[in-house]
Amino acid sequence: MEHSPSEVLVVFGDEAVDKEFADWLVQSFLELNEPELMASGRSGGQLVSAVLHDLRPGRRGGLRIIKLVPARSGIETEPHNHRAALSGTVPGNENFISRHLVELDDRTSRLGDHWVMIQYPAGDGTDAMTTLAGLPARRLPALVEEIVKGVLGGWNPDPSTGTARTGDAKGNDKPLSAAQFVTQVLTVSPSRVPRLREWLEPWWGSAGDSEWFSLEGNSRVLPNPLALGEGSPLGRCQVRLALRGRAHGDLHPGNIVVPVRENTSPGQFWLVDLGQYAANALLARDPAHLLMCLIADEFLPEMAGRAREELLTALTGYDPDCAGPLVPQGLADTVTRVRRAMIDWGAGHHFNQHWRYQWYLALQACALMVAARDRYNDADRWWFFRLAAEACGAYLREAGAEEPKDTVPAVKAPGPTAAPTRGVPSREVGVLAAATPSTGTGRSDAPDVSDAASPAGTAPAPGTGDPAGFADVLAEIWDVFEPVLRQLSATPFGQVKALTVEYVDHRATDFELTLGDPQLAMPDSAGAEEGREQVLERLRQVSDPAENLRTLLLHPVRRMEVLARMQRRPVELRAFVQALGDLLHEIRRVLKGL
């Protein structure tokens, strides 16, 4: 069907896709009004909120979420998996599916290289909605407990112990080694282990291939959580009663939608973005992954060294209570409730002892997932890697494995220290993985910043013997701004936060004052003073593009105009990224000369 340009409603911002979509609407007797592009995340699609009118007699329309997702070949599609999740009813889980999974309209269409899905908004229509990622910490313990109870008990009244379900031809009825258990949890992104090895290599060298290691200055032996081969310690342990069932597959705070109102029941939640749903998944994964994401984004950036050590001990202990006095109360309560909910569910099926051990393996795998995401700083990633090692060690102790009698490599922690580093907390800079409030839907298309290379390269270390002062300030500027630049360079405009831009502007001003202090210790090397002036000038040049970008982000009409045109990198964002890149390039040049 031919349309004039004025007849084709701009929905997704791609002229060819919009024309195909307009044709499909006509053929389906549908009419779309008031489309609004929504903030998106990283699941590979685009989200539009719109009013859908069904022109067939007796059919009702209303507000819908239109999702455009890539039609990848060779894998089960998101529409297929979403439909499978809604169709997976058995006696006892009908209530969970009807009350907690976002409903999918019965019309799904293939448009070229994409699928169009029509979803109902999350919720019952009585409350404004947001994601778990947008809630105050005080609401998390009760909500997370109910979510874990729901995805285990509400969704899975009939857990499998390894025998494949009807229609499952993936060979999941075979006995699993502990290494295979961890590997299966990591299968969604098999590149994680190589990425972690690459990240550790500068500090570990060939020791990264060892099955056991110790930290320099500490004689305690830990298993290498990346050792997952057949002959590894985990490879020699068999998992009894590997519990399987229906699972979301990517359960994190941005994929859980709840009412904004404070006094709502913790049992009011909806799961969105069901593209990774599986009917025969390892059930320990979803609760562990949700908890790891909450720790990484909501709690760990604010925790100091001793509190972090207490949290490591609590997570990997046999007792589910998180009793560390320095662990934030809300986090301690959340950890305790999650572990108790898991234990109680296992006890109800009389699988408890073997199920409890699977907590350690799921914890190891999900901690490795977070450690592989380089949007977090090295200190946080190292904490999660240590958590994976401690969880692996806890499992091996329960399995009766012996520690090595020979000497094991002593390795260094990444970076100068494993304490929290200066810089932007990951939840301030990270990609927005939440739908806009009042709509309640999942994540969509954005590059995964964990795979993004830094456009600024690597800062060379200053020459040895230089006086403390100037070089230290330059290194601190790099540590603060390089992760921001890396993420902004991989983030579409719709996911950039005004808070991030404001933070950069304020820190640039702070660094300008510090670097311009006449009392700052300067090295004797030629060109140091000139280098200081050049860096100061680059710091000053951050201010104007920061203000321009912040103004655009805070102006709803202008911002929506950019989003409606699908202009992923408007000139204001490009100028801001360029200013940060120029600053880091100058710092790199000056440090080389010291």
Side-chain angles (χ1 to χ4, degrees), residues 203-204 207-208 213-216 382 409-413:
W203 296 280
W204 284 31
F213 69 94
S214 66
L215 295 176
E216 283 190 347
W382 173 245
V411 301
K412 293 182 179 180

Side-chain angles (χ1 to χ4, degrees), residues 427-555:
R427 66 172 177 271
E428 291 184 3
V429 184
V431 171
L432 176 63
T436 51
S438 81
T439 54
T441 184
R443 302 184 301 172
S444 77
D445 188 27
D448 185 347
V449 297
S450 65
D451 293 327
S454 169
T458 303
T464 57
D466 287 337
F470 179 54
D472 293 335
V473 174
L474 295 185
E476 183 178 3
I477 297 172
W478 181 281
D479 288 343
V480 169
F481 289 154
E482 191 275 337
V484 182
L485 175 61
R486 178 170 4 106
Q487 293 190 24
L488 287 174
S489 299
T491 304
F493 169 70
Q495 297 160 13
V496 176
K497 296 183 180 180
L499 179 64
T500 302
V501 181
E502 184 176 356
Y503 174 90
V504 170
D505 196 12
H506 288 170
R507 292 308 306 268
T509 301
D510 292 342
F511 284 130
E512 187 180 340
L513 293 173
T514 302
L515 200 59
D517 187 345
Q519 302 301 316
L520 182 69
M522 295 293 293
D524 296 330
S525 57
E529 282 294 344
E530 180 185 353
R532 171 156 68 172
E533 289 304 316
Q534 292 295 328
V535 174
L536 280 169
E537 181 60 27
R538 293 298 186 188
L539 283 168
R540 297 184 192 107
Q541 291 175 3
V542 169
S543 179
D544 284 346
E547 181 59 28
N548 292 338
L549 179 56
R550 183 173 176 274
T551 300
L552 174 61
L553 291 170
L554 295 177
H555 194 293

Side-chain angles (χ1 to χ4, degrees), residues 111 195 417 460:
L111 299 183
R195 288 210 309 264
T417 174

Side-chain angles (χ1 to χ4, degrees), residues 38-80:
M38 297 168 57
S40 55
R42 301 192 301 275
S43 69
Q46 297 173 23
L47 297 173
V48 172
S49 170
V51 177
L52 188 70
H53 296 287
D54 195 323
L55 304 179
R56 293 175 292 178
R59 297 297 186 103
R60 297 177 61 185
L63 185 67
R64 299 289 185 268
I65 308 301
I66 317 298
K67 189 168 186 180
L68 186 75
V69 296
R72 301 182 181 95
S73 61
I75 62 173
E76 291 170 342
T77 64
E78 181 169 343
H80 173 276

